[in-house]
Amino acid sequence: MVGFMLGILPGILAGYDFKNVLSLAIYLGAVMYILLRMVRILMDGLIPVSDGVKEFMTKRFPDRKDFYIGLDIAVAIGNPAIIATGLLLIPIAILLAFIVPGNETLPVADLSKLAVFCSMIVVACNQNIVRAVIIAIPCLIGDLLICSAASPLITQLATTVGYDMSAAGIANITAFLDGGNPFRYLIYQVFSGNVTAIVIAVVVAGLVFLTYKLTYAQTHPQAEVQE
């Protein structure tokens, strides 16, 4: 129902007739319902594999108790706090798309993936929904601006591989969440020779290293004592 209601507004603003507005609303509602369930089913299948690998390694190395098996963050989207935060961010993302200066992107399909987008934020906030929503708002703003800036590049790539651009008309195409990933865009700008991006990359790398050292000291106090 959330997807259906949110699909009506973009259709009206795009000037669609009643039939197409209703179709867009139904499509968005279906995408929001099915996509998360599909991802959750796929990720749930990995958990037994992860547990089996961990059990195998523990038997082979009984002295080690610190084996961690990495899985995609999508395994966490069934968490009620993550689902609630993702749903709250959907109308916020649409509102920001209209009021953020410089934004040229109207998010539609990727709205169903906002639960994945906010997963790590919710984890960092210890499942505090209010705090997670507040932190996610500037992240969404940055995401919108970056995917708007990257839209000419994404459009060019789509044209190069022969993607059918007839539905887009004269407009550029982009990807709301993947296209707005700040690290990917920063890497692209670095390899494009952007001096500002290179400086930012150095600063970000320094902050990541500092965060790692501080976090390691907090989570491994015994190692610090031994040193």
Side-chain angles (χ1 to χ4, degrees):
M1 288 304 299
V2 172
F4 179 83
M5 297 302 296
L6 291 175
I8 294 176
L9 180 60
I12 295 175
L13 294 175
Y16 291 171
D17 56 25
F18 177 77
K19 177 183 177 181
N20 288 326
V21 169
L22 190 61
S23 297
L24 178 61
I26 294 174
Y27 290 157
L28 184 58
V31 167
M32 291 183 59
Y33 178 76
I34 295 173
L35 185 60
L36 292 180
R37 291 180 65 87
M38 290 173 58
V39 173
R40 180 57 191 250
I41 290 171
L42 291 173
M43 292 301 104
D44 282 349
L46 293 177
I47 294 178
V49 177
S50 172
D51 293 340
V53 172
K54 189 171 183 179
E55 182 180 355
F56 174 83
M57 296 298 292
T58 302
K59 289 181 179 179
R60 295 298 184 277
F61 303 94
D63 297 334
R64 297 288 301 274
K65 303 296 182 181
D66 56 348
F67 286 112
Y68 298 97
I69 310 300
L71 295 175
D72 192 279
I73 189 59
V75 298
I77 63 175
N79 182 282
I82 293 177
I83 293 176
T85 304
L87 290 175
L88 289 173
L89 289 178
I90 291 175
I92 294 175
I94 295 177
L95 177 63
L96 291 174
F98 288 102
I99 66 175
V100 172
N103 174 57
E104 299 177 352
T105 300
L106 178 61
V108 180
D110 271 357
L111 292 174
S112 62
K113 295 166 54 180
L114 282 174
V116 179
F117 168 84
C118 71
S119 294
M120 289 305 299
I121 299 176
V122 176
V123 171
C125 294
N126 196 23
Q127 303 186 51
N128 187 311
I129 297 175
V130 175
R131 187 184 302 173
V133 170
I134 294 173
I135 294 176
I137 290 176
C139 297
L140 284 174
I141 294 174
D143 200 286
L144 287 168
L145 294 176
I146 291 173
C147 71
S148 296
S151 62
L153 172 64
I154 296 175
T155 303
Q156 180 183 356
L157 292 173
T159 304
T160 302
V161 300
Y163 181 77
D164 183 9
M165 298 286 293
S166 59
I170 62 173
N172 288 335
I173 62 172
T174 187
F176 172 40
L177 297 181
D178 290 331
N181 187 299
F183 289 103
R184 294 175 186 172
Y185 190 67
L186 180 62
I187 292 173
Y188 165 73
Q189 291 294 334
V190 167
F191 282 93
S192 297
N194 189 317
V195 177
T196 303
I198 295 174
V199 174
I200 294 175
V202 173
V203 173
V204 170
L207 291 174
V208 170
F209 179 75
L210 179 62
T211 302
Y212 165 76
K213 295 295 289 184
L214 293 175
T215 305
Y216 187 85
Q218 294 174 359
T219 56
H220 297 75
Q222 296 180 351
E224 187 176 355
V225 171
Q226 292 176 358
E227 292 177 0

